[in-house]
CSV table of all heavy atoms in Angstrom, one decimal:
chain,number,residue,atom,x,y,z
A,77,GLY,N,0.8,-1.2,0.0
A,77,GLY,CA,0.0,0.0,0.0
A,77,GLY,C,0.8,1.3,0.0
A,77,GLY,O,0.5,2.2,-0.8
A,78,ARG,N,1.8,1.4,0.9
A,78,ARG,CA,2.7,2.5,0.9
A,78,ARG,C,4.1,2.0,0.7
A,78,ARG,O,4.4,0.9,1.0
A,78,ARG,CB,2.6,3.2,2.3
A,78,ARG,CG,3.4,4.4,2.5
A,78,ARG,CD,3.4,4.9,3.9
A,78,ARG,NE,2.1,5.5,4.3
A,78,ARG,CZ,1.8,6.1,5.4
A,78,ARG,NH1,2.7,6.1,6.4
A,78,ARG,NH2,0.6,6.6,5.7
A,79,THR,N,4.9,2.9,0.2
A,79,THR,CA,6.3,2.5,0.0
A,79,THR,C,6.9,2.0,1.3
A,79,THR,O,6.9,2.8,2.3
A,79,THR,CB,7.2,3.7,-0.5
A,79,THR,OG1,6.6,4.1,-1.7
A,79,THR,CG2,8.6,3.3,-0.7
A,80,PHE,N,7.4,0.8,1.4
A,80,PHE,CA,7.8,0.2,2.6
A,80,PHE,C,8.9,1.0,3.3
A,80,PHE,O,8.9,1.1,4.5
A,80,PHE,CB,8.3,-1.2,2.3
A,80,PHE,CG,8.7,-2.0,3.5
A,80,PHE,CD1,7.8,-2.5,4.4
A,80,PHE,CD2,10.1,-2.3,3.7
A,80,PHE,CE1,8.2,-3.2,5.5
A,80,PHE,CE2,10.5,-3.0,4.8
A,80,PHE,CZ,9.5,-3.5,5.7
A,81,SER,N,9.8,1.5,2.5
A,81,SER,CA,10.9,2.3,3.1
A,81,SER,C,10.5,3.6,3.8
A,81,SER,O,11.3,4.2,4.5
A,81,SER,CB,12.0,2.5,2.1
A,81,SER,OG,11.5,3.3,1.0
A,82,SER,N,9.3,4.0,3.6
A,82,SER,CA,8.8,5.3,4.2
A,82,SER,C,8.3,5.1,5.6
A,82,SER,O,7.9,6.1,6.2
A,82,SER,CB,7.7,5.9,3.3
A,82,SER,OG,6.5,5.1,3.4
A,83,SER,N,8.3,3.9,6.1
A,83,SER,CA,7.7,3.6,7.4
A,83,SER,C,8.7,2.9,8.3
A,83,SER,O,9.4,2.0,7.8
A,83,SER,CB,6.5,2.7,7.3
A,83,SER,OG,5.4,3.3,6.6
A,84,ALA,N,8.7,3.3,9.5
A,84,ALA,CA,9.4,2.5,10.6
A,84,ALA,C,8.5,1.3,10.8
A,84,ALA,O,7.3,1.3,10.7
A,84,ALA,CB,9.6,3.3,11.8
A,85,MET,N,9.1,0.2,11.2
A,85,MET,CA,8.4,-1.1,11.4
A,85,MET,C,8.7,-1.5,12.8
A,85,MET,O,9.8,-1.4,13.4
A,85,MET,CB,8.8,-2.1,10.4
A,85,MET,CG,8.6,-1.8,9.0
A,85,MET,SD,6.8,-1.5,8.6
A,85,MET,CE,6.2,-3.2,8.9
A,86,GLY,N,7.6,-2.1,13.4
A,86,GLY,CA,7.8,-2.6,14.8
A,86,GLY,C,7.0,-3.8,15.1
A,86,GLY,O,6.2,-4.3,14.2
A,87,TRP,N,7.2,-4.4,16.2
A,87,TRP,CA,6.5,-5.5,16.7
A,87,TRP,C,6.0,-5.3,18.1
A,87,TRP,O,6.7,-4.8,19.0
A,87,TRP,CB,7.3,-6.8,16.7
A,87,TRP,CG,7.7,-7.2,15.3
A,87,TRP,CD1,8.8,-6.9,14.6
A,87,TRP,CD2,7.0,-8.1,14.5
A,87,TRP,NE1,8.8,-7.5,13.4
A,87,TRP,CE2,7.7,-8.3,13.3
A,87,TRP,CE3,5.8,-8.8,14.7
A,87,TRP,CZ2,7.3,-9.1,12.2
A,87,TRP,CZ3,5.4,-9.7,13.6
A,87,TRP,CH2,6.1,-9.8,12.4
A,88,PHE,N,4.7,-5.6,18.4
A,88,PHE,CA,4.1,-5.6,19.7
A,88,PHE,C,3.5,-6.9,20.0
A,88,PHE,O,3.4,-7.8,19.1
A,88,PHE,CB,3.0,-4.5,19.7
A,88,PHE,CG,3.4,-3.1,19.6
A,88,PHE,CD1,3.9,-2.6,18.4
A,88,PHE,CD2,3.4,-2.3,20.7
A,88,PHE,CE1,4.4,-1.3,18.3
A,88,PHE,CE2,3.8,-1.0,20.6
A,88,PHE,CZ,4.3,-0.5,19.5
A,89,ARG,N,3.2,-7.2,21.2
A,89,ARG,CA,2.6,-8.4,21.6
A,89,ARG,C,1.5,-8.2,22.7
A,89,ARG,O,1.6,-7.2,23.5
A,89,ARG,CB,3.6,-9.4,22.1
A,89,ARG,CG,4.3,-9.1,23.4
A,89,ARG,CD,5.5,-10.1,23.7
A,89,ARG,NE,6.2,-9.8,24.9
A,89,ARG,CZ,7.3,-10.4,25.3
A,89,ARG,NH1,7.8,-11.4,24.6
A,89,ARG,NH2,7.9,-10.0,26.4
A,90,GLN,N,0.6,-9.1,22.8
A,90,GLN,CA,-0.4,-9.0,23.8
A,90,GLN,C,-0.8,-10.4,24.3
A,90,GLN,O,-1.2,-11.3,23.5
A,90,GLN,CB,-1.7,-8.4,23.2
A,90,GLN,CG,-2.8,-8.1,24.3
A,90,GLN,CD,-3.8,-7.1,23.8
A,90,GLN,OE1,-4.0,-6.9,22.6
A,90,GLN,NE2,-4.5,-6.5,24.7
A,91,ALA,N,-0.5,-10.6,25.6
A,91,ALA,CA,-0.8,-11.9,26.2
A,91,ALA,C,-2.2,-11.8,26.9
A,91,ALA,O,-2.7,-10.7,27.2
A,91,ALA,CB,0.3,-12.2,27.3
A,92,PRO,N,-2.8,-12.9,27.2
A,92,PRO,CA,-4.1,-12.9,27.9
A,92,PRO,C,-4.1,-12.1,29.2
A,92,PRO,O,-3.2,-12.3,30.0
A,92,PRO,CB,-4.4,-14.4,28.1
A,92,PRO,CG,-3.7,-15.1,27.0
A,92,PRO,CD,-2.4,-14.3,26.9
A,93,GLY,N,-5.0,-11.2,29.3
A,93,GLY,CA,-5.1,-10.4,30.6
A,93,GLY,C,-4.1,-9.3,30.7
A,93,GLY,O,-4.1,-8.7,31.7
A,94,LYS,N,-3.4,-9.0,29.6
A,94,LYS,CA,-2.4,-8.0,29.7
A,94,LYS,C,-2.6,-7.0,28.5
A,94,LYS,O,-3.2,-7.3,27.5
A,94,LYS,CB,-1.0,-8.6,29.6
A,94,LYS,CG,-0.6,-9.5,30.7
A,94,LYS,CD,0.8,-10.1,30.6
A,94,LYS,CE,1.8,-9.0,30.9
A,94,LYS,NZ,3.2,-9.6,31.0
A,95,GLU,N,-2.1,-5.8,28.7
A,95,GLU,CA,-2.1,-4.8,27.7
A,95,GLU,C,-1.1,-5.1,26.6
A,95,GLU,O,-0.1,-5.8,26.8
A,95,GLU,CB,-1.9,-3.4,28.2
A,95,GLU,CG,-2.9,-2.9,29.2
A,95,GLU,CD,-2.7,-1.5,29.7
A,95,GLU,OE1,-1.6,-1.0,29.4
A,95,GLU,OE2,-3.6,-1.0,30.4
A,96,ARG,N,-1.4,-4.6,25.4
A,96,ARG,CA,-0.5,-4.7,24.3
A,96,ARG,C,0.8,-3.9,24.6
A,96,ARG,O,0.8,-2.8,25.0
A,96,ARG,CB,-1.1,-4.2,23.0
A,96,ARG,CG,-0.3,-4.5,21.7
A,96,ARG,CD,-1.1,-4.1,20.5
A,96,ARG,NE,-2.3,-4.9,20.4
A,96,ARG,CZ,-3.1,-4.9,19.3
A,96,ARG,NH1,-2.8,-4.1,18.3
A,96,ARG,NH2,-4.2,-5.6,19.3
A,97,GLU,N,1.9,-4.6,24.4
A,97,GLU,CA,3.2,-4.0,24.8
A,97,GLU,C,4.2,-4.0,23.6
A,97,GLU,O,4.2,-4.9,22.7
A,97,GLU,CB,3.8,-4.7,26.0
A,97,GLU,CG,4.3,-6.1,25.7
A,97,GLU,CD,5.1,-6.7,26.8
A,97,GLU,OE1,5.4,-6.0,27.8
A,97,GLU,OE2,5.4,-8.0,26.8
A,98,PHE,N,5.0,-3.0,23.6
A,98,PHE,CA,6.1,-2.9,22.6
A,98,PHE,C,7.1,-4.0,22.8
A,98,PHE,O,7.4,-4.4,23.9
A,98,PHE,CB,6.8,-1.6,22.8
A,98,PHE,CG,8.0,-1.4,21.9
A,98,PHE,CD1,8.0,-1.0,20.6
A,98,PHE,CD2,9.3,-1.7,22.5
A,98,PHE,CE1,9.1,-0.9,19.8
A,98,PHE,CE2,10.4,-1.6,21.7
A,98,PHE,CZ,10.3,-1.2,20.4
A,99,VAL,N,7.6,-4.6,21.6
A,99,VAL,CA,8.6,-5.6,21.7
A,99,VAL,C,9.9,-5.1,21.0
A,99,VAL,O,11.0,-5.1,21.6
A,99,VAL,CB,8.2,-6.9,21.0
A,99,VAL,CG1,9.3,-7.9,21.0
A,99,VAL,CG2,6.9,-7.4,21.7
A,100,ALA,N,9.8,-4.6,19.7
A,100,ALA,CA,11.0,-4.2,19.0
A,100,ALA,C,10.6,-3.3,17.8
A,100,ALA,O,9.4,-3.4,17.4
A,100,ALA,CB,11.7,-5.5,18.4
A,101,ALA,N,11.5,-2.5,17.4
A,101,ALA,CA,11.2,-1.7,16.2
A,101,ALA,C,12.5,-1.4,15.5
A,101,ALA,O,13.6,-1.5,16.0
A,101,ALA,CB,10.6,-0.3,16.6
A,102,ILE,N,12.4,-1.0,14.2
A,102,ILE,CA,13.5,-0.7,13.4
A,102,ILE,C,13.2,0.6,12.5
A,102,ILE,O,12.1,0.7,12.1
A,102,ILE,CB,13.9,-1.9,12.5
A,102,ILE,CG1,15.2,-1.6,11.7
A,102,ILE,CG2,12.8,-2.3,11.5
A,102,ILE,CD1,15.8,-2.9,11.1
A,103,ILE,N,14.2,1.4,12.4
A,103,ILE,CA,14.0,2.7,11.6
A,103,ILE,C,13.8,2.4,10.2
A,103,ILE,O,14.0,1.3,9.7
A,103,ILE,CB,15.2,3.7,11.9
A,103,ILE,CG1,16.5,3.1,11.3
A,103,ILE,CG2,15.3,4.0,13.3
A,103,ILE,CD1,17.6,4.2,11.3
A,104,LYS,N,13.4,3.4,9.4
A,104,LYS,CA,13.0,3.3,8.0
A,104,LYS,C,14.1,2.7,7.2
A,104,LYS,O,13.8,1.9,6.2
A,104,LYS,CB,12.6,4.7,7.5
A,104,LYS,CG,11.4,5.3,8.2
A,104,LYS,CD,11.1,6.7,7.7
A,104,LYS,CE,9.9,7.3,8.5
A,104,LYS,NZ,9.7,8.7,8.1
A,105,THR,N,15.3,3.1,7.4
A,105,THR,CA,16.5,2.7,6.6
A,105,THR,C,17.2,1.4,7.1
A,105,THR,O,18.1,0.9,6.5
A,105,THR,CB,17.5,3.8,6.4
A,105,THR,OG1,17.9,4.2,7.7
A,105,THR,CG2,16.9,5.0,5.7
A,106,GLY,N,16.7,0.9,8.3
A,106,GLY,CA,17.3,-0.2,8.9
A,106,GLY,C,18.5,0.2,9.7
A,106,GLY,O,19.0,1.4,9.7
A,107,GLY,N,19.1,-0.7,10.4
A,107,GLY,CA,20.3,-0.4,11.2
A,107,GLY,C,20.0,-0.2,12.7
A,107,GLY,O,20.3,-1.0,13.5
A,108,ARG,N,19.4,1.0,12.9
A,108,ARG,CA,19.0,1.4,14.3
A,108,ARG,C,17.8,0.6,14.7
A,108,ARG,O,16.8,0.6,14.0
A,108,ARG,CB,18.8,2.9,14.4
A,108,ARG,CG,18.5,3.4,15.8
A,108,ARG,CD,19.8,3.4,16.6
A,108,ARG,NE,19.6,4.1,17.9
A,108,ARG,CZ,19.3,3.6,19.0
A,108,ARG,NH1,19.1,2.2,19.1
A,108,ARG,NH2,19.2,4.3,20.1
A,109,THR,N,17.9,0.0,15.9
A,109,THR,CA,16.8,-0.8,16.4
A,109,THR,C,16.5,-0.5,17.9
A,109,THR,O,17.4,0.0,18.6
A,109,THR,CB,17.1,-2.3,16.3
A,109,THR,OG1,18.3,-2.6,16.9
A,109,THR,CG2,17.2,-2.7,14.8
A,110,TYR,N,15.3,-0.9,18.3
A,110,TYR,CA,14.9,-0.7,19.7
A,110,TYR,C,14.3,-2.0,20.2
A,110,TYR,O,13.6,-2.6,19.4
A,110,TYR,CB,13.9,0.5,19.9
A,110,TYR,CG,14.4,1.8,19.4
A,110,TYR,CD1,14.3,2.1,18.0
A,110,TYR,CD2,15.0,2.7,20.2
A,110,TYR,CE1,14.7,3.4,17.6
A,110,TYR,CE2,15.5,3.9,19.8
A,110,TYR,CZ,15.3,4.3,18.5
A,110,TYR,OH,15.8,5.5,18.0
A,111,TYR,N,14.5,-2.3,21.5
A,111,TYR,CA,14.0,-3.5,22.0
A,111,TYR,C,13.5,-3.3,23.5
A,111,TYR,O,14.1,-2.5,24.2
A,111,TYR,CB,15.0,-4.7,22.1
A,111,TYR,CG,15.5,-5.1,20.7
A,111,TYR,CD1,16.7,-4.5,20.3
A,111,TYR,CD2,14.9,-6.0,20.0
A,111,TYR,CE1,17.2,-4.9,19.0
A,111,TYR,CE2,15.4,-6.4,18.8
A,111,TYR,CZ,16.6,-5.9,18.3
A,111,TYR,OH,17.1,-6.3,17.1
A,112,ILE,N,12.5,-4.0,23.8
A,112,ILE,CA,12.1,-4.0,25.2
A,112,ILE,C,13.1,-4.9,26.0
A,112,ILE,O,13.7,-5.8,25.4
A,112,ILE,CB,10.7,-4.6,25.4
A,112,ILE,CG1,10.1,-4.4,26.8
A,112,ILE,CG2,10.6,-6.1,25.1
A,112,ILE,CD1,8.7,-4.7,27.0
A,113,ASP,N,13.4,-4.5,27.2
A,113,ASP,CA,14.5,-5.2,28.0
A,113,ASP,C,14.3,-6.7,28.0
A,113,ASP,O,15.3,-7.4,28.0
A,113,ASP,CB,14.5,-4.6,29.4
A,113,ASP,CG,15.2,-3.2,29.4
A,113,ASP,OD1,15.8,-2.8,28.4
A,113,ASP,OD2,15.1,-2.6,30.5
A,114,SER,N,13.1,-7.2,28.1
A,114,SER,CA,12.9,-8.6,28.3
A,114,SER,C,13.3,-9.5,27.1
A,114,SER,O,13.5,-10.7,27.2
A,114,SER,CB,11.4,-8.9,28.7
A,114,SER,OG,10.5,-8.5,27.6
A,115,VAL,N,13.4,-8.9,25.9
A,115,VAL,CA,13.8,-9.6,24.7
A,115,VAL,C,15.2,-9.2,24.2
A,115,VAL,O,15.7,-9.8,23.3
A,115,VAL,CB,12.8,-9.5,23.6
A,115,VAL,CG1,11.4,-9.9,24.1
A,115,VAL,CG2,12.8,-8.1,23.0
A,116,LYS,N,15.8,-8.2,24.8
A,116,LYS,CA,17.1,-7.7,24.4
A,116,LYS,C,18.1,-8.8,24.5
A,116,LYS,O,18.2,-9.5,25.5
A,116,LYS,CB,17.5,-6.5,25.2
A,116,LYS,CG,18.8,-5.8,24.9
A,116,LYS,CD,18.7,-5.0,23.7
A,116,LYS,CE,19.9,-4.2,23.4
A,116,LYS,NZ,19.8,-3.3,22.2
A,117,GLY,N,18.9,-9.0,23.4
A,117,GLY,CA,20.0,-10.0,23.4
A,117,GLY,C,19.6,-11.3,22.9
A,117,GLY,O,20.4,-12.2,22.6
A,118,ARG,N,18.3,-11.6,22.8
A,118,ARG,CA,17.8,-12.9,22.3
A,118,ARG,C,16.8,-12.7,21.1
A,118,ARG,O,16.3,-13.7,20.6
A,118,ARG,CB,17.2,-13.8,23.4
A,118,ARG,CG,16.0,-13.2,24.1
A,118,ARG,CD,15.6,-14.0,25.3
A,118,ARG,NE,14.5,-13.5,26.0
A,118,ARG,CZ,13.2,-13.8,25.7
A,118,ARG,NH1,13.0,-14.8,24.8
A,118,ARG,NH2,12.2,-13.3,26.4
């Protein structure tokens, strides 16, 4: 729908009984990433 490279991409998750939470994201051009502490390193 939109040029893929124009958007940052991320992942969220939602477990039963919990709010949707951030997991990881990557900037438009790649390279720079962000992670929630619980998944960092793995």
Side-chain angles (χ1 to χ4, degrees):
R78 181 188 290 181
T79 301
F80 182 72
S81 61
S82 70
S83 296
M85 301 298 296
W87 293 91
F88 290 72
R89 66 187 180 188
Q90 189 164 20
K94 301 181 70 175
E95 295 184 351
R96 190 170 299 186
E97 68 173 353
F98 171 83
V99 178
I102 186 167
I103 64 172
K104 298 172 183 178
T105 56
R108 184 74 169 93
T109 57
Y110 302 87
Y111 299 93
I112 192 171
D113 285 347
S114 62
V115 307
K116 183 78 173 180
R118 59 188 182 93

